[in-house]
Amino acid sequence: MLPFVALFLAFTAGPVLGSFGMSFTDIKQRDLRTPFSVNGVGFDNYVKALTDETFGKAAFNTAYFVIVGVPLTLVVALGAAVLLDRGVKRFQALFKVGYYLPVVTSIVAIAVIWRFVLSPDNGLLNTVLGWVGIDGPNWLASKTWAMPSLIAMAVWRNFGSAMIIFLAGLQGIPESVEEAGQIDGASSWQRFRHLILPLLRPTILFTSVTTGIGYLQFFEEPFVMTQGGPLDSTISVSMATYDQFGFGNYGLATSMAYILFVVIAVVTFIQFRLLREK
Amino acid sequence: MRRTWWIYLIGVLGLVAVAAPFLWMVLGSFKTQGELLRVPPTWWPNEPTNQNYADLFSKANFPRYFLNSTVVALAVTAGNLIFCSMIGYALAKLNFKGRNALFVLVMATLMIPGMVTFVPLFVLVTNAGLANSYPGLILPFLVSPFGVFLMRQFFLGLPDDLIDAGRVDGTSELGIFARIMLPLTRPALATLGILTFLGSWNNFLWPLVIAQTEDKYTLPVALALYSTGQNAQNYGLLMAGAVVVVVPVLVMFLAFQRHVTKGIAITGLK
């Protein structure tokens, strides 16, 4: 089994260390054949990344995406899970599979579909809005609306996986808990708020951490939908990193990736502290 | 049960919101270019046409991309089934020096963003001369930390007595693994297999940078390049292409969905 451990080390653990080393050098695309003949530049890449205007915008956009997107995804996921667990007994499997479909669908195909859904004149969304008399904007071309559009798409695409975890959590709560609440005369909202929700704490911690980690790295949505535009209004940290890679600035790209990594670690740590069992 | 009807109504509305874009895609793939541009849009195709699917073969080389995606996904899936189960077994049931350190390492790599390893991996693969090759598309994904974690968790749940009994009977260590323990993990293997296949089929960024000539494109890469290139206005072709990318995994997912949801419940990851 040792060879397989070696394979794992070569393609997973090795690059992690490799990229840490690279982030302190001036490695560029032309050094590709001779990766060991580059110069160390200390923290220059980190300084350059943190003072870069595009990177600043990317950091702001990523924060926007995470702060709005994560709670929204979790609320929709929890709502769907409660709906399936308490209300929809018949055809439950059908609903579960249906809600999960976007999760297993290629992001590229989703982008093709959603560009139609969001298209200004003959898109699905603006047509539906037209029925109720709203004149929808050109979603993806608007600096104001491009980001909310991507967030809506991300919620649509991702809530299914958190829903499955919430469902497992809800099914682990014994019926007797709710029955006790009913006897005490608590309303269904009170039972949910004061009995079910506290018991779901570990599940909420888990889904918020995994969703948060995923959303902090968000890349594919802007990459396939907007290329970061209009005017960098949807560029994310991962996308800025990829752009630097594309320009051949490998050292700068890896330092940006490490900054993101540190932020992810810190955010995850904070989530653990906030949601830890009391 | 007088409250049930509106709960179902919300559920169905949600289902419509999730499914409508998919239906729109399938119906759109049978529409003519003229109909796709019509304002207001039509829902059902007025003059259904197969032209878009014919174009996938004649104007674009979609059968080739389909083959590439299939080959890569099958190879990656086979590799994960073999290697992840071996490492998972070793981490769960064998005592060796550095076992805990190795497990911590696996868990740590689970949390590291893909962008961190992306550049060095690209340098590594390019220097090995594997850019624009099938091995370059396949090798980096043969073992996944997620798969190792999943298999370890599953092996942990199996009793040690089985291994001891095998040793008493004089079965070799490899025999114990392959003939006694591995068959018991069939549900976990099914989960790992389907999730790996779906992940590889939908994988986008890595094939985009590694597949540099048209004959190595996978389906998502081809679709992405068509949707931004000179065919960007050929909406019918794009819709049909999206159907070809999506439908195989949807069919597969529907057939094996029980294993997928179980796997998520075991590890809490997708």
Side-chain angles (χ1 to χ4, degrees), chain A residues 4 32 90 99 104 122 206, chain B residues 8 11 36 83 127 202 264 268:
Chain A
F4 312 125
L32 197 55
R90 227 179 301 168
Y99 291 155
V104 295
N122 59 349
F206 191 87
Chain B
Y8 273 88
L36 279 165
F83 300 145
N127 273 327
N202 292 336
I264 296 161

Side-chain angles (χ1 to χ4, degrees), chain B residues 122 126 131-133 207-217:
Chain B
F122 180 77
T126 309
N132 202 28
S133 73
L208 181 69
V209 295
I210 285 297
Q212 288 147 0
T213 56
E214 204 240 6
D215 63 317
K216 294 291 188 302
Y217 287 173

Side-chain angles (χ1 to χ4, degrees), chain B residues 142-156:
Chain B
L142 280 184
V143 187
S144 69
F146 162 77
V148 172
F149 179 55
L150 176 85
M151 293 312 294
R152 174 187 177 268
Q153 296 307 94
F154 203 87
F155 274 118
L156 273 183

Side-chain angles (χ1 to χ4, degrees), chain A residues 4 15 19 32 89-90 95 97-100 104-106 109 113 115-116 122 124 127 156 164 206 217 223 242 261, chain B residues 8 11 17-18 21-22 24 36 38 41 83 86 113-114 116 120 127 202 205 227 235 246 253-254 257 261 264 268:
Chain A
F4 312 125
S19 90
L32 197 55
K89 293 288 180 208
R90 227 179 301 168
F95 283 96
V97 169
Y99 291 155
Y100 194 73
V104 295
T105 305
S106 158
I113 310 169
R115 272 208 296 266
F116 275 88
N122 59 349
L124 195 57
T127 306
W156 179 86
I164 301 277
F206 191 87
Q217 298 177 56
F223 187 78
Y242 180 81
F261 178 35
Chain B
Y8 273 88
V18 172
F22 286 107
W24 178 274
L36 279 165
R38 201 166 296 165
F83 300 145
M86 283 185 161
V116 167
N127 273 327
N202 292 336
L205 182 56
S227 70
Y235 299 122
V246 171
F253 168 67
L254 291 176
Q257 52 95 5
T261 45
I264 296 161

Side-chain angles (χ1 to χ4, degrees), chain A residues 131-168:
Chain A
W131 293 342
V132 289
I134 299 171
D135 191 14
N138 185 352
W139 299 97
L140 293 174
S142 150
K143 268 180 75 177
T144 326
W145 288 109
M147 195 54 140
S149 306
L150 292 190
I151 292 175
M153 192 177 118
V155 173
W156 179 86
R157 175 159 105 104
N158 292 306
F159 85 92
S161 29
M163 175 195 75
I164 301 277
I165 299 170
F166 278 133
L167 256 179

